[in-house]
Amino acid sequence: MTALEQFAGEALRRSPYFSEEHEALRDQVRRFVESEIKPQALAWEEQGFVPRAVLERMGELGFFGIRYPAEYGGSEMDTLATVVLAEELGRSTFSGVAITALVHTDMASVHVFNAGSKAQHERYMPDIIAGKTICAVAVTEPDAGSDVKGIRTTARREGDAYVLNGAKMFITNGVHADIYCVAAKTDLSAKPSQSVSIFLVEKGTPGFKVSRALDKHGWRSSDTAELVFEECRVPAENLLGQEGRGFYAIMRNFQNERTVIGAMAIGEAQAAIDLTLDYVRTRKAFGAALWEKQAIRQKLAMLAAKVEAGRQLVYHAAWMDAQGMEATREVSMVKAFCGELVNEVMYACVQFHGGMGFMRESTIERMARDARVQSIGGGATEVMLEEVAKRL
């Protein structure tokens, strides 16, 4: 452990935001990352997905049930615990692995829990928490991303079923998920905000197919797909919550998703700085280590300060949410600031690695590719800044 890592660890333990339970979780996730992700994840980058056995192991350790009730196998913790999980997975340097887990825990399965009936909870939640059933959320379409009201997938009621038609794009866990939370318009004549509903669609449902796996710039160990629904019949009982309330459910969970992505980005940024500090202290140029160059020391110092500021913004927004306070402004700031910051950090860290930073064999090259999407997915920076501006 470097001196900076030791200092960061001690600082986290002094944080007023976290309890001993939170820190025990942090230690547990960090051990898992070191022992079971880092030694194997390069192979997962090549194969394009995280093995199911690894996800089940995460379920066994309790990582997938952090916020869920004990009756289904969860540990009933809070938003800050989610931040701990996301930050530590971000620190792994394998963000494709991190997003595979975090989409399951905090972007997809939350729809089952938040809007699902008691019967749906009993049927799905135990296996979701155990990592035996993996979830995806299918909202984004070829012509609709952050603009949820613009989706075109439809669901018409026919007797005791709904029939879905449409396509979804850029769906994380889309190839290998077991259940999909699919947004579709059920009333084309209603206001856009009251026309969307969410349905549980199981893999293998007739009329539903993964049309293609997508080849991405980064997050290579995360499977991502385009989905197609052609006269796909799902039982009416697979409606999540009330018909026409899907838009509000999606907006509600965007807050959680954006907090998670912010925490993950901070973990990535910290890992990149740690990695680069080690490199510049040993790499020599013009007769001395790069660390001896004032320009490099000061740049890294400023980036470290920005990352610390971003970390505290994430923690505070999560604390507000955990207290039941309105935090849309703060969470939007988190997503905008951290998504841009992690890319600023990666750019500098690749630069300080010199030629090695451009080589596929270097960790920082992979991390820079992975980080690029952090200012796009879950709400592009420009969209987030408009959310902040509305609340100034």
Side-chain angles (χ1 to χ4, degrees):
M1 178 182 289
T2 67
L4 186 66
E5 286 176 315
Q6 184 175 359
F7 173 78
E10 291 170 356
L12 286 171
R13 283 168 172 75
R14 293 195 298 271
S15 172
Y17 293 105
F18 298 108
S19 67
E20 290 185 5
E21 187 179 19
H22 290 122
E23 295 304 342
L25 173 63
R26 187 184 297 278
D27 290 342
Q28 185 185 29
V29 177
R30 193 170 290 190
R31 287 196 303 271
F32 179 82
V33 165
E34 292 297 327
S35 64
E36 301 193 44
I37 293 180
K38 285 186 176 181
Q40 305 179 77
L42 280 176
W44 308 341
E45 291 277 302
E46 293 297 321
Q47 70 184 21
F49 63 93
V50 180
R52 182 57 63 94
V54 176
L55 299 177
E56 290 189 11
R57 178 61 178 152
M58 295 179 80
E60 290 173 5
L61 292 171
F63 299 159
F64 291 168
I66 288 173
R67 304 270 288 282
Y68 294 136
E71 66 180 299
Y72 303 124
S75 49
E76 301 184 6
M77 294 179 74
D78 60 9
T79 315
L80 285 160
T82 291
V83 162
V84 167
L85 175 67
E87 186 178 3
E88 291 304 318
L89 290 177
R91 287 183 73 255
S92 73
T93 77
F94 289 96
S95 295
V97 180
I99 201 62
T100 297
L102 294 170
V103 163
H104 173 71
T105 56
D106 286 277
M107 301 173 202
S109 65
V110 285
H111 287 292
V112 182
F113 182 72
N114 289 342
S117 64
K118 180 69 172 176
Q120 288 169 330
H121 287 174
E122 292 175 350
R123 178 177 178 182
Y124 294 108
M125 292 307 300
D127 282 350
I128 286 172
I129 290 170
K132 296 177 181 177
T133 294
I134 298 301
C135 300
V137 57
V139 175
T140 301
E141 298 184 358
D143 295 316
S146 296
D147 180 15
V148 176
K149 294 177 183 177
I151 67 172
R152 297 182 181 179
T153 298
T154 60
R156 70 177 187 273
R157 183 70 183 259
E158 285 190 357
D160 60 355
Y162 286 88
V163 181
L164 276 63
N165 284 280
K168 299 293 180 179
M169 181 64 84
F170 312 132
I171 306 305
T172 301
N173 296 349
V175 179
H176 297 289
D178 302 297
I179 58 172
Y180 300 75
C181 300
V182 182
K185 286 191 172 177
T186 45
D187 186 351
L188 298 180
S189 64
K191 292 169 54 178
S193 62
Q194 298 174 8
S195 66
V196 178
S197 303
I198 301 179
F199 299 89
L200 271 175
V201 181
E202 297 186 13
K203 175 167 282 185
T205 301
F208 163 52
K209 66 178 181 180
V210 175
S211 62
R212 62 186 175 117
L214 300 174
D215 189 14
K216 304 188 302 300
H217 174 62
W219 284 1
R220 303 288 295 178
S221 50
S222 160
D223 63 289
T224 307
E226 180 180 11
L227 312 177
V228 171
F229 303 88
E230 297 176 337
E231 293 293 293
C232 175
R233 296 181 67 88
V234 298
E237 65 193 35
N238 282 29
L239 174 69
L240 279 175
Q242 297 179 345
E243 187 174 304
R245 300 295 296 176
F247 174 80
Y248 300 102
I250 293 165
M251 290 299 104
R252 173 187 176 187
N253 193 57
F254 267 155
Q255 293 299 100
N256 189 64
E257 178 175 346
R258 289 160 181 168
T259 302
V260 165
I261 292 175
M264 179 179 163
I266 287 298
E268 294 169 8
Q270 187 63 62
I273 289 175
D274 293 343
L275 190 71
T276 304
L277 279 171
D278 286 344
Y279 186 81
V280 299
R281 283 170 171 153
T282 57
R283 171 68 171 169
K284 291 186 177 180
F286 302 103
L290 291 175
W291 179 247
E292 298 303 317
K293 312 301 179 187
Q294 184 183 54
I296 290 177
R297 287 199 310 271
Q298 292 193 358
K299 179 67 172 179
L300 286 172
M302 180 55 78
L303 289 175
K306 289 183 177 181
V307 170
E308 187 59 35
R311 180 182 289 115
Q312 297 308 319
L313 177 61
V314 171
Y315 290 174
H316 187 67
W319 175 83
M320 289 179 68
D321 186 69
Q323 299 300 311
M325 301 167 66
E326 168 58 37
T328 302
R329 185 186 75 153
E330 287 75 13
V331 169
S332 299
M333 288 177 173
V334 161
K335 179 62 177 66
F337 183 80
C338 297
E340 293 296 320
L341 175 60
V342 69
N343 279 284
E344 179 186 355
V345 169
M346 294 302 172
Y347 187 94
C349 289
V350 168
Q351 183 75 13
F352 293 160
H353 275 76
M356 184 54 68
F358 201 59
M359 298 296 106
R360 276 291 174 104
E361 66 188 83
S362 70
T363 301
I364 198 65
E365 184 273 341
R366 181 186 67 251
M367 294 179 71
R369 283 187 287 108
D370 286 347
R372 184 62 188 89
V373 76
Q374 298 288 44
S375 62
I376 300 171
T381 299
E382 294 77 11
V383 175
M384 295 296 90
L385 292 176
E386 286 301 305
E387 291 300 315
V388 174
K390 291 175 189 175
R391 294 164 175 83
L392 291 181

